[in-house]
Amino acid sequence: MGLSKKILVIPGDGIGAEVTTWGKAVLEKIAASFGHQFTYDEALMGHEAIETTGTSLPDETLAKAKASDAILFGAVGHIKYDNDPSAKVRPEQGLLKIRKELGLYANLRPIMLFDELLDASSLKREVLQGTDILFFRELTGDVYFGEKKRTADFASDLMNYNRYEVERIAIKAYEAARVRGKKLCSVDKANVLETSRLWREVIQEIAKQYPDVETEHMFIDNAAMQLVKNPKKFDVVVTANLFGDILTDEASQIAGSMGMLASASIGDGTGFFEPIHGSAHDIAGQDKANPLASILSVALMLEIGFGLKEEAKKVTNAVDQALKAGYRTGDIADSKTDKSKILGTKAMGQKVLEYL
Ligand code: IPM
Ligand code: MG
C-alpha cells in the first residue's frame, strides 16, 4: 500500500529554488515508482518573503507548514542584510521562528562519505576514509533564542537551557547511538559555561539508561580540533545549538563540500528537511549549485519522516552511482575530474533521476 503525504516546499532565497526543484523531482519519481501519493504545496520564507509580505515567515507559510506531513526547505539569507547589522527584519528570523513554532528541537546532520569524493576534501584521504558521524544539534534553545539586548555601546545575547531541553535531545541521540556504533560524544564547554554544566549533568544522568552506549564528554575547542585530526573516532555527537552550528560546517569538509550535506530537523510535529548549505548568492541563478544536498535531504525525509527505508536507499544509491560514473558539480570536482563530467545543477539533477 502506497503512502499519502502532503509535502510543503519552501525554496527560500538564493540557490534555494534551484536545488529544491531537484529534491522535488526525486520525490515525484520515487512516488511514481513505489505507488505513493505525494502532493505538493509551496510557500515563502526569508528575503523573498520580506520583499513581498514584510516578514520573513508569513502566517500563511506557518499555517501551511503545520498542516503538512513534511517540509522540503532550500535556504535563506541575502547579502543585503549580512553587511547591515542594524536591519530590524532579517531572512534568518523566519528559519529560527519556524524551528521554534514546529518544535524542531533535534537537528540531525549525518556526515556521509561517498568514497568517490575522498579527494574533494581539503583533508587527507587516509584521515577521512571510514568516517561516519551523526550529529545531533539541539535546535530550539541556547543563545539563539535567549533574550537579546542592545544599546549603542552594549550588546547581550542570553545563553540558556532548561533541563527538559537537554533531556529530550540526549534521548534522541542515545537511541540513535544504540543502533549505530554505540558511542556517544557530548560536546560542551563545561569548564566555563553554566549552561554546559547543566548539559553535562543531564547527559551523565541519561547515560545511566544506556549502559550499552559508551559516553564521552568533550570540550568544544578540543572537539573542533579532534574532528579534523581523527574524525573516525566519532560516532554520534550531541551538542548545543551554537556549537552544533559551527562544528557541522567544519564537518562538512569531511564530506567534501557543504553542497553534499543534508539535514533533518525533527521534534514534536512536522519534520523539516534541508541542506546545511546557505543561500550562496554568489552562484545563484547560474546553474552552478550542487543539488545533491537537497536530494539527500529528500532521502532523509523518506527515511526519517515517512519510515520509507527502501525508497531512501534508492535515492542515496542514485547519488552514489552518479558520483561513481564520474559526474561532479563544480564544488566537488578536483584536478583529476574529467572536465566533460563537470555538470551544472540541472544536468546533475537529471543524472540522479536517470540513475533512479
Ligand atoms: C544553519 C544555518 C542557520 C543557523 C542560519 C541560516 C540562521 O547556519 O542551519 O546551520 O545558524 O542555524
Ligand atoms: Mg550553520
Side-chain angles (χ1 to χ4, degrees):
M1 257 297 276
L3 293 183
S4 199
K5 296 286 179 193
K6 283 193 286 186
I7 298 165
L8 180 66
V9 181
I10 308 181
D13 304 324
I15 60 170
E18 289 167 80
V19 299
T20 47
T21 296
W22 293 102
K24 185 177 167 197
V26 164
L27 279 169
E28 283 170 332
K29 182 109 190 202
I30 287 287
S33 45
F34 285 84
H36 300 302
Q37 203 73 46
F38 294 163
T39 52
Y40 307 89
D41 198 355
E42 226 179 82
L44 288 174
M45 193 161 111
H47 169 69
E48 286 276 312
I50 296 174
E51 296 291 295
T52 48
T53 70
T55 153
S56 53
L57 180 66
D59 291 342
E60 192 193 337
T61 300
L62 191 56
K64 282 183 178 181
K66 287 184 174 164
S68 64
D69 295 308
I71 299 159
L72 178 65
F73 174 70
V76 283
H78 195 275
I79 20 173
K80 184 173 139 187
Y81 310 88
D82 295 346
N83 293 317
D84 178 11
S86 67
K88 287 281 170 289
V89 185
R90 319 184 68 86
E92 290 81 1
Q93 288 163 344
L95 182 57
L96 300 183
K97 185 163 174 211
I98 203 168
R99 287 173 178 170
K100 195 73 170 177
E101 290 277 342
L102 295 181
L104 302 168
Y105 61 83
N107 181 221
L108 281 63
R109 296 187 164 181
I111 306 299
M112 235 200 338
L113 223 63
F114 290 94
D115 278 348
E116 304 77 36
L117 296 185
L118 282 172
D119 294 318
S121 173
S122 50
L123 298 173
K124 289 196 201 96
R125 159 183 278 274
E126 23 337 335
V127 172
L128 299 174
Q129 215 152 22
T131 300
D132 178 5
I133 311 176
L134 179 57
F135 278 91
F136 278 80
R137 167 188 175 194
E138 198 289 326
L139 204 60
T140 52
D142 203 355
V143 68
Y144 269 67
F145 293 93
E147 190 192 350
K148 296 181 186 301
K149 285 187 191 152
R150 179 66 205 262
T151 63
D153 301 314
F154 171 83
S156 147
D157 299 275
L158 188 68
M159 176 182 264
N160 57 14
Y161 264 118
N162 288 294
R163 180 174 292 274
Y164 78 91
E165 292 177 298
V166 189
E167 278 169 0
R168 62 186 181 180
I169 181 99
I171 290 167
K172 282 248 185 302
Y174 269 108
E175 289 293 330
R178 187 165 254 180
V179 295
R180 285 176 46 101
K182 296 195 173 0
K183 274 169 65 180
L184 180 137
C185 176
S186 169
V187 174
D188 64 29
K189 187 72 187 170
N191 51 346
V192 176
L193 302 173
E194 205 52 54
T195 44
S196 282
R197 289 192 272 270
L198 172 68
W199 182 278
R200 194 171 284 220
E201 191 180 300
V202 173
I203 300 284
Q204 284 169 344
E205 199 54 46
I206 305 279
K208 292 182 196 149
Q209 297 164 34
Y210 297 87
D212 50 326
V213 177
E214 181 195 317
T215 303
E216 182 180 15
H217 298 273
M218 199 180 276
F219 295 137
I220 175 71
D221 45 353
N222 184 24
M225 184 271 283
Q226 298 289 343
L227 199 56
V228 284
K229 185 178 176 214
N230 184 17
K232 284 194 269 278
K233 69 177 266 133
F234 296 99
D235 174 22
V236 169
V237 177
V238 62
T239 191
N241 203 346
L242 182 63
F243 297 156
D245 178 46
I246 300 167
L247 275 192
T248 52
D249 262 32
E250 186 192 359
S252 74
Q253 267 314 296
I254 295 171
S257 162
M258 289 263 282
M260 293 301 298
L261 283 204
S263 89
S265 302
I266 56 167
D268 301 330
T270 306
F272 192 90
F273 302 86
E274 57 167 318
I276 89 154
H277 63 67
S279 48
H281 280 273
D282 53 330
I283 57 163
Q286 298 172 35
D287 195 37
K288 282 187 181 161
N290 184 348
L292 297 180
S294 181
I295 292 171
L296 292 170
S297 297
V298 158
L300 291 178
M301 180 189 292
L302 293 167
E303 181 171 353
I304 300 172
F306 305 156
L308 299 172
K309 284 209 168 65
E310 194 188 333
E311 287 83 339
K313 189 94 197 107
K314 196 139 194 237
V315 174
T316 322
N317 280 344
V319 169
D320 198 31
Q321 280 172 319
L323 295 173
K324 280 213 168 71
Y327 296 107
R328 302 283 186 271
T329 42
D331 59 314
I332 47 173
D334 60 57
S335 54
K336 281 179 266 165
T337 306
D338 174 354
K339 293 277 176 299
S340 70
K341 289 191 167 171
I342 302 184
L343 307 180
T345 314
K346 292 185 189 136
M348 184 55 115
Q350 205 59 55
K351 272 285 166 240
V352 175
L353 286 187
E354 278 167 34
Y355 286 108
L356 261 184

